[in-house]
Amino acid sequence: MFRASITWLAVVLISGSGPVKSQKPPAAKVVPVSGAPHQLSPIDLSPYDIAAERELLDLANQARALAGVPPLHLDEGLTQAARVHAAEMAAQGQLSHQFPGEASLAQRLGTNSSLHLDRAGENVSLASTVDQAQQSLMQSPPHRENLMNPAYNVAGFGVFRSGPALYVAQDFAHSVPTSSAQQAEDTVAEGVARMRSAANLPPLQRTDGSAAQAGACAMARADALTGPLPPGHSILRYTTMQPENLPAGAAKSIDERGVHTLSVGTCYARTTHYPNGVYWVVLILN
């Protein structure tokens, strides 16, 4: 029997400088980002408490405002991901961040949202009222950390009503802009130029990057840093969420005095290992 005096909570956090990734990815699959919004499959909203979802978001943003933290912006894709998970918790009759056979948080967000996300977190709760859920979440340090984290700028809340119980899923994320291939390649090249300048070396001449881009997209299709290498004195290939940041160890090749030209190729894609999107990069130095 459900008791109103008891609230159950659970929290998960995925963060860091790398992309949001699945822990146990299945066979590789690439879903290129075209820039068009996701076409979400409609779900039956009748068991969801839409008013409770909005109230929880309002309460979260009120608490953030009092702390001087920017508000969370509602995202339809994150909301759908949260709703589907809240319904799964109600079906299972328990709280969890991932049930057997269910996609991970990163995969759920990648499937439902077209946003480029570099970190994410989730709160789940079981309560009888919105106020009870909010108070319990704010009184729990890890849940409060997700609610008040200034690094998060988007969110989606799902509330599934099962009798007197509210199953709550709160998905948080940090959305970053997605650059075109040309913009990303220019940004990488600028990073290389800064590195060369810091080492008091002359700039590299930028050459045609079609071979490098083909190599980057081949890696994306394989969902791995493998594949045939284009000719070059030095080849760097890596993934990044932020094209302006060159990988550790890149200076060894970039700062060589014997190289004079640079080709850059990038390919942004969503893959099984990177369900929220990542830039695949190839640098050719000669």
Side-chain angles (χ1 to χ4, degrees):
M1 177 178 179
F2 179 80
R3 297 176 58 190
S5 61
I6 297 177
T7 303
W8 297 93
L9 304 170
V11 63
V12 67
L13 174 67
I14 305 174
S15 63
S17 59
V20 180
K21 299 173 66 176
S22 305
Q23 296 301 310
K24 295 180 180 180
K29 178 182 179 183
V30 176
V31 183
V33 172
S34 63
H38 276 38
Q39 297 298 315
L40 300 178
S41 301
I43 61 175
D44 179 12
L45 296 180
S46 58
Y48 296 95
D49 194 327
I50 309 302
E53 294 173 355
R54 293 172 180 167
E55 188 175 354
L56 281 169
L57 181 63
D58 289 343
L59 290 171
N61 280 334
Q62 289 171 20
R64 290 169 72 92
L66 289 173
V69 179
L72 296 166
H73 298 284
L74 185 67
D75 176 68
E76 181 183 359
L78 268 64
T79 298
Q80 178 139 323
R83 285 173 177 165
V84 171
H85 186 60
E88 184 64 25
M89 290 192 298
Q92 299 285 342
Q94 61 179 308
L95 299 182
S96 176
H97 291 291
Q98 185 178 8
F99 293 100
E102 185 187 25
S104 68
L105 172 62
Q107 292 168 329
R108 296 197 303 268
L109 298 185
T111 297
N112 289 282
S113 178
S114 61
L115 298 178
H116 184 35
L117 309 175
D118 64 358
R119 66 179 61 197
E122 182 176 76
N123 289 344
V124 296
S125 172
L126 173 60
S128 59
T129 68
V130 168
D131 287 339
Q132 185 188 69
Q134 176 68 8
Q135 290 173 11
S136 299
L137 289 165
M138 289 295 288
Q139 290 169 2
S140 167
H143 297 86
R144 180 186 174 90
E145 181 180 353
N146 271 346
L147 283 163
M148 305 297 288
N149 193 333
Y152 293 143
N153 55 11
V154 292
F157 292 177
V159 178
F160 190 98
R161 183 175 290 279
S162 178
L166 298 178
Y167 285 86
V168 179
Q170 299 178 323
D171 290 345
F172 309 89
H174 180 243
S175 174
V176 295
T178 303
S179 302
S180 68
Q182 186 63 57
Q183 290 171 329
E185 289 165 9
D186 290 345
T187 299
V188 172
E190 290 165 4
V192 171
R194 287 193 298 271
M195 186 173 286
R196 296 276 296 183
S197 177
N200 294 316
L201 293 171
L204 300 175
Q205 180 184 353
R206 184 97 172 261
T207 59
D208 177 64
S210 56
Q213 186 181 47
C217 290
M219 292 192 306
R221 287 191 295 272
D223 199 8
L225 296 174
T226 58
L229 289 174
H233 176 76
S234 293
I235 308 292
L236 297 179
R237 50 188 182 183
Y238 59 94
T239 58
T240 182
M241 296 292 288
Q242 300 170 324
E244 63 271 20
N245 295 333
L246 295 172
K252 182 178 180 181
S253 296
I254 292 173
D255 289 347
E256 281 192 45
R257 294 186 178 276
V259 299
H260 306 285
T261 65
L262 168 71
S263 297
V264 183
T266 68
C267 191
Y268 177 83
R270 294 171 182 262
T271 70
T272 298
H273 285 86
Y274 300 93
N276 299 104
V278 75
Y279 295 93
W280 299 79
V281 184
V282 171
L283 302 182
I284 306 175
L285 301 109
N286 282 302

